[in-house]
Amino acid sequence: DGVPILLDFGVARHTKRPALTLTGEFRGTLYYASPEQVEAKPREIDARTDVYSLGVTLYEALTGTIPFKGDTTVSILSSIVKDTPQSVTEVNPDRPHILARIIKRCLAKDPTRRYQTALDLRNELEELKQEVDSGEVFESAPTALTPLGSRNKLWFAVSVTAVATGLVAFLL
């Protein structure tokens, strides 16, 4: 019906507990799995994994497609670990460059290159919302900086940012 539904990613845990799966067994929703999940690195699975999954969700919301593709489960998992997705602005040039940058950081292969907590991501999104509301946001072009030209782009950026901020706050 065109209504977004958020399901708990349920990956990050703050407590230590014994592994519930066999070594190398994959658990999770395939397209939203982080590289550390795919590579079965349980010591690296923490809140940054949820930030990654949220990045996939935002990528899909802004482009209408998933960032990592393949014909089989193995090829999708390989893509998650090895491939760099097209930039949000390459897939859809009407999307604000700054949101593409934020999503790119969420999708970093190395967890240390992502936002370290959902709070960090929320703060970044709130700053972006303030910039959009004040008219400070600029979309980069190859030769110059130009203000967001379309009122639709501006409202889209505000809407996506507000929704994303709410999602991140929910994850906290």
Side-chain angles (χ1 to χ4, degrees):
D1 297 333
V3 177
I5 299 172
L6 174 67
L7 303 175
D8 178 19
F9 296 119
V11 175
R13 300 280 184 251
H14 292 287
T15 61
K16 302 284 184 203
R17 61 186 181 132
L20 299 176
T21 61
L22 300 172
T23 302
E25 182 181 344
F26 177 77
R27 285 187 50 136
T29 306
L30 180 62
Y31 293 106
Y32 302 90
S34 66
E36 58 271 22
Q37 284 177 283
V38 171
E39 293 183 322
K41 296 180 177 176
R43 290 196 168 125
E44 292 183 23
I45 296 174
D46 56 23
R48 298 171 298 182
T49 299
D50 284 341
V51 168
Y52 181 92
S53 298
L54 179 58
V56 173
T57 302
L58 293 173
Y59 186 98
E60 190 174 6
L62 289 168
T63 65
T65 186
I66 52 175
F68 303 102
K69 299 177 178 113
D71 294 329
T72 66
T73 299
V74 172
S75 63
I76 294 165
L77 294 173
S78 176
S79 180
I80 289 168
V81 172
K82 295 180 181 178
D83 296 343
T84 301
Q86 277 187 294
S87 167
V88 166
T89 54
E90 286 179 63
V91 177
N92 191 335
D94 289 336
R95 301 302 181 233
H97 177 74
I98 193 163
L99 278 177
R101 180 184 55 77
I102 290 170
I103 292 169
K104 180 180 177 180
R105 185 169 174 193
C106 290
L107 294 177
K109 304 289 184 202
D110 179 356
T112 64
R113 304 293 298 169
R114 292 182 208 139
Y115 295 97
Q116 296 303 289
T117 66
L119 181 60
D120 293 339
L121 176 55
R122 185 197 69 192
N123 291 343
E124 180 85 10
L125 291 169
E126 284 178 348
E127 287 176 25
L128 172 59
K129 184 175 183 326
Q130 289 172 357
E131 291 172 6
V132 168
D133 290 345
S134 71
E136 293 175 41
V137 170
F138 290 88
E139 185 174 5
S140 64
T143 57
L145 290 178
T146 56
L148 288 173
S150 161
R151 190 156 180 82
N152 289 339
K153 283 186 192 180
L154 180 64
W155 282 110
F156 183 81
V158 171
S159 298
V160 168
T161 302
V163 168
T165 302
L167 291 174
V168 172
F170 176 76
L171 289 174
L172 290 174

